[in-house]
Amino acid sequence: MLCTACQSTIEASDSRCPNCGAGVSRSDPDSERRFVTILRADVVDSTGLVAELDPEEAVSRLEPALAAMRGAVRQFGGIVSKELGDGLAAVFGAPIADDNHAPLACHAAIELVRRVASLGDPGLQVRVGLHSGHVVAYMVASEFSKVYEIGGAAQHLAARLEATAEANQICVSEACQKLADGHVRFESLGGKSLRGFSQPVPVYRIVGASDLSSWRVRRARSVSRFVDRTTERALLERSAGSAATSRQTVLLLGDAGIGKSRLAHEFAQQLKADGWRLIDAECSPNLQGAPFSTLKRILLSAMDAAAREPDSPGDIRQGLPSIQQSALDAVLDLPISNSHWDELEPHARGRAISDASCAIAGSLANRGRTVLLLEDLHWIDRASDGVVAAIASLQAAGLLVLFTSRPNGMPVWIARCQAEIVAMRPLDDDSGLAMLADMLGSSETNADLKSRIISHTANVPLFIEEVCRGLKDSGTLRGQWGDLALVRPIDELGIPTSIQGVIAARLDRVSKQERSVLQIAASLGPRSSEVMLRKIAALPEDALQGCLVALDRAELLVRIDSELEDALEFRHEMVRQVTYDSMVERAREDIHARILSALEGGEVGADDPDKLCYHATRAKDWTKSFSYGRASGRKCLARSAFVDAADYFEIAMKSLDQTPISPSREANAVDVRIEARAAFIASGQIADWLNLGKEAERRADAINDIGRKVAAMTVMAAAQNFYGTPLEAVTIGEEVVRLAEGAGNPGWLNAAQYGLGQVYFLAARYREADRLFARACAQLAGPEPSAPFGTTPKPALLLCCMMNSVTHTVMGEFDTAEQLQQQAAAIAEETGRPYDRVAAAYSGGWLMLGRGEPAAAAAILEDGFVLAQKHGIRLFVPVLACHLGMAYLEQGLFDRARGMLTEAREEAKAVGYTSAVLRSSIYLALATHRLGDVQAAQNMLREARNTARQQGFSGLEAEALFGEAVVTPPSDAEAKAAILGALRAAIAIAAESGALPLRHKAEAMLNEMQATDDELS
């Protein structure tokens, strides 16, 4: 840990820096990231209202509105974070998380406007803005008190929405609208230009509260079918059977999203179909402060159910004692004419309400089997709680009482009423997959995605559904529900905002110490060990074990069967992500620094640069991040994981740039870019490869390092061969060879000669290419071979042999090409590296094509193509695909040829491989011609020929000219003249370059045409 004042090292236990004496600043444990809904409200034109008033009168004028605002916020569980003189800022969903924060905030806003309007002061009008988003929440302590405050961009958007609202209007963001839709009714106001936002922001206006129950809102959103709950249904059916002789009470207990409501309603509807009377109601988080709100819903549902029956006796309250009828009228907000009711003490009134409610339930059960379904018992209002407890304990045959509740809200009387508690578990894998098959479709193409979703969500039904909905809404999945197709790769499945609060609420149920252990585990990754937790948490053993037991019991961090006896794993990845995301940046950095220190000083992880790099980067220890990132890049290169290697080298380069500038830093910056080239080359990131060379050259120039400048220019020139054109690359390549010869570094000279040889090959200067390849081969095969930094002599020799074999094949010198190919294949066999084997397959396939053995060529190229795709050697994919298409074409497999050549061209375009685009276009045209589309073939070849001529690809120009002669029908004199002209031009280029096989084919065709014309004449 470093002092913020002087950067001296300080111990974790120090309260002051031993060097400068500055106080040690640590992140406040109460400071954390939260996903919440923010409410901003103020009085419209408050300045005009109080402008002429003295301070006391001004306060008195606005205070009634402020008091109404505070009351509305607190009624719905919000926290007033700041008062602003004429308004306030409030937060819902913190400091205790609540997955219902957006609907609660919307209802609070509606109530706020209503309360201010009810003051009867026409001058007091309010406007409200609501937004749901991430904030940093923290305690601000003064000498006398603490204030809970929030910060972040979300706060500003809420303020802008408040400012855009009109008098008595509530404006909300799209994020808030999506979370509260169904619970509240909205009207879109379209995109609004808000100060500080570059693009119009979608804005909605609250129209009013919805009359839909929470279950109906969830059911309307659901896109999945009910999947088998065999065990739980069997328990419910057994209870229903026992209800014939005595009242049965069942509680479905489980966390949010586990499927309690779905099971309860499916079972209740089944009972209703079997002739049971259904009374259903729910406890509402919006009405927890309203006495008897739950009981009122139960009674209204009971009255409605009874009234719809054929033999209904009418009002079910008839026959009750008058005082009990008055009790029910009081709950139902009906007029009461019984004077005795007003004389009763509160306790007696409560007793009368309970007795009357029990009498109604008993009476209905006596008349026929009745199921009373009450959802979300954890949100029951206090007044209804005792009455519902009495109904649940009622001794009445034919009555089944079915509750749903979350664990943290289960009432204490559940045990007294002898309820059977059915603990809801996540779905099993088969049921989870059945649910996904219903939503995504049964196609095997989504099999991997389904497995990832199962693992990510741990088979929690709500989480499965919301993840799928998020993928569909983002366009990652396209189609209709039941037939969705994945249209782009997915890096992370993420956490939909609709369930962030659900998980955060679970995390808030653990103690601060347990949460600290959970945060360390989240920083370690999906799986951790007790040994590492013990080192980093630094808790007494009994305290640590207590935390682990509590977290296991809460199914947040669970022990798993593993070769390591102390392995711990998050129940599902979403819990880990929400835990990690809840930490502010400074807290994360501190934990990762402690993990890094523990890994470096321990037996486990000290030799794992990937893990060390991850934690060093997260700890923002840039020196170590550079070192471990570079080591990880080298490790990935050694096992041919080229894309991963490129990613790690990127980390190393960016980390190094975070350290103080110096000549040694710049030298390292050049070296790491040169070393990284191999990863970017193999993975086909040609533009990035070129930029590595340019940036390395710029930095080498800045420190006047000639040797590094030569290396950088060699890297840049090699990339230019693929990304650019011979016209551009020849000048650069020749300059680099000249500089390399002067620098006296044979390794970089070999690399420069190889690069310039490639350029000469593409420019059809085959003899010059052969000369350079041969010089490099001789040095690399000699007694003191020298390869450039970042590679070794044998792979470098293989590439030189590969390209020289191809060069001699093009010139028709097959024996020499064969010798070089054998040398390349022997090196590939010796090293066993996928990259080397792919390179040898490329030149081997080209040689077989040159010898007129397309079947043998196809066999070699197919192996290389599969290997290149498997290991992400993307640079070779387009050229292997192109030559494989040529082999299919030579065998008469025209459809396969067209498919492979199309793939080759698209892949070449994707990686920016200019010559491969042209060559695949030429032979795609020939395949297209053989499949009957002459005009399309002619157009493709004409375009390829013109491009090759303009950019200096002389050899490809000759191939395109010969192709034009092949596909052009000799229908008239003009067409014949065009064919002859193309053949003569192709022969001229081939003769000058030394491409004898192409020259001989063109001459043979030319002679045949001329002989035919002579016979006709």
Side-chain angles (χ1 to χ4, degrees), residues 374-395:
L374 180 60
E375 277 207 85
D376 298 328
L377 199 57
H378 48 278
W379 283 326
I380 193 169
D381 65 275
R382 187 178 301 175
S384 299
D385 185 65
V387 181
V388 171
I391 295 173
S393 302
L394 190 64
Q395 296 304 315

Side-chain angles (χ1 to χ4, degrees), residues 7 122 172 214 220 295 335 369 393 395 441 451 454 499 589 658 748 769 780 905 973:
Q7 298 297 302
V172 307
S214 295
L295 182 59
R369 293 174 301 174
S393 302
Q395 296 304 315
S451 297
I454 291 292
I499 57 179
E589 291 171 22
Q658 296 291 328
W748 284 112
L780 288 164
R905 186 172 66 171

Side-chain angles (χ1 to χ4, degrees), residues 968-987:
T968 303
S971 53
D972 52 33
E974 185 179 351
K976 289 178 182 178
I979 295 170
L980 294 173
L983 288 171
R984 290 185 181 113
I987 291 167

Side-chain angles (χ1 to χ4, degrees), residues 196-237:
F197 292 84
S198 58
Q199 299 294 324
V201 176
V203 178
Y204 294 80
R205 177 175 73 91
I206 291 182
V207 177
S210 170
D211 58 358
L212 293 177
S213 67
S214 295
W215 161 248
R216 287 174 63 191
V217 172
R218 292 195 296 270
R219 192 72 187 90
R221 279 179 56 83
S222 179
V223 292
S224 63
R225 64 180 175 85
F226 180 69
V227 293
D228 188 29
R229 285 280 193 177
T230 306
T231 303
E232 293 91 340
R233 287 175 74 98
L235 291 170
L236 291 173
E237 287 167 359

